[in-house]
């Protein structure tokens, strides 16, 4: 499972008018509740803050990946937010955050699916100009395009092409 498989337009907000970290986490959590990913916003937010207390989830370059495990989670997901203005956040580089990936994971999925998705997200964020594309995104399609690896796409295209070609070797 990749992050692209988990992204859901219902929990993506690319025009967040928030003043701080708490407003951002609560707004994205309400989106998760409205889309039936979580049962209770307050319980989910409290569990996110338990993880936040352990260390920075702002990874730098204006990106934060808050996460935690919560009994409130009904379905695994990732809420994505882009703030109109960068907001203060505890980050590794000391800079404010504009892009947020709020992981929504149950306690049972935390050590399996969560780690796979987190690894996939980190790998994709580290490729080429992904973060620059995310800072410019305005639509859900822009989000998907920012995470589509050109090599992956080329391989998929090649597989489709080779399925259509019959190869006959000497007669």
């Amino acid at each position: 499972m990749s992050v692209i498989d988990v992204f859901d337009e219902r929990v993506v907000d690319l025009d967040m008018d928030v003043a701080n970290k708490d407003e951002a986490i609560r707004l994205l959590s309400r989106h998760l509740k409205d889309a039936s990913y979580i049962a209770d916003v307050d319980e989910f937010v409290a569990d996110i803050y338990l993880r936040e207390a352990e260390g920075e989830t702002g990874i730098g370059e204006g990106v934060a990946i808050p996460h935690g495990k919560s009994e409130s989670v009904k379905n695994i997901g990732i809420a994505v937010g882009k703030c109109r203005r960068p907001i203060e956040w505890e980050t590794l580089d000391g800079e404010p955050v504009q892009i947020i990936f709020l992981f929504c994971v149950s306690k049972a999925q935390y050590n399996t699916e969560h780690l796979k998705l987190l690894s996939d997200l980190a790998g994709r964020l580290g490729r080429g100009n992904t973060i620059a594309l995310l800072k410019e995104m305005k639509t859900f399609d822009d989000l998907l395009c920012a995470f589509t690896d050109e090599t992956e796409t080329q391989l998929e295209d090649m597989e489709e092409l080779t399925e259509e070609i019959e190869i006959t070797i000497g007669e």
Side-chain angles (χ1 to χ4, degrees):
M1 176 185 309
S2 79
V3 292
I4 292 174
D5 299 328
V6 176
F7 289 148
D8 177 347
E9 192 167 6
R10 298 175 302 159
V11 294
V12 173
D13 187 339
L14 303 180
D15 190 32
M16 292 180 23
D17 188 14
V18 294
N20 57 49
K21 173 181 172 176
D22 188 60
E23 286 181 15
I25 288 174
R26 288 188 180 281
L27 178 59
L28 291 173
S29 297
R30 281 193 300 277
H31 292 320
L32 289 166
K33 170 87 167 78
D34 292 344
S36 298
Y37 280 90
I38 63 173
D40 183 87
V41 170
D42 291 333
E43 179 183 350
F44 180 72
V45 169
D47 290 334
I48 293 299
Y49 276 112
L50 282 176
R51 169 57 187 87
E52 288 289 306
E54 294 176 17
E56 295 95 353
T57 57
I59 63 168
E61 295 189 63
V63 177
I65 309 174
H67 55 282
K69 48 190 172 189
S70 179
E71 292 294 335
S72 180
V73 173
K74 297 193 274 184
N75 297 303
I76 192 167
I78 303 172
V80 181
K82 178 182 173 194
C83 303
R84 289 181 185 174
R85 295 165 302 283
I87 57 174
E88 290 301 313
W89 201 289
E90 298 79 20
T91 62
L92 297 175
D93 64 2
E95 296 297 320
V97 163
Q98 188 172 15
I99 309 295
I100 303 161
F101 295 93
L102 177 60
F103 275 71
C104 172
V105 184
S106 71
K107 288 184 178 185
Q109 298 165 316
Y110 192 78
N111 290 328
T112 55
E113 293 304 317
H114 167 74
L115 294 177
K116 290 177 194 172
L117 287 172
L118 191 58
S119 174
D120 185 47
L121 177 66
R124 289 174 187 270
L125 286 171
R127 290 185 192 146
N129 62 345
T130 301
I131 292 176
L133 291 171
L134 291 172
K135 288 180 179 178
E136 297 300 319
M137 71 180 163
K138 293 183 180 7
T139 68
F140 182 71
D141 285 339
D142 291 343
L143 170 66
L144 297 179
C145 286
F147 279 98
T148 301
D149 180 46
E150 290 179 24
T151 306
E152 230 174 68
T153 303
Q154 289 171 356
L155 285 174
E156 289 171 7
D157 291 345
M158 288 301 292
E159 287 172 4
E160 286 177 22
L161 183 60
T162 56
E163 288 173 3
E164 296 174 10
I165 301 173
E166 285 187 42
I167 299 175
T168 307
I169 302 178
E171 295 208 17

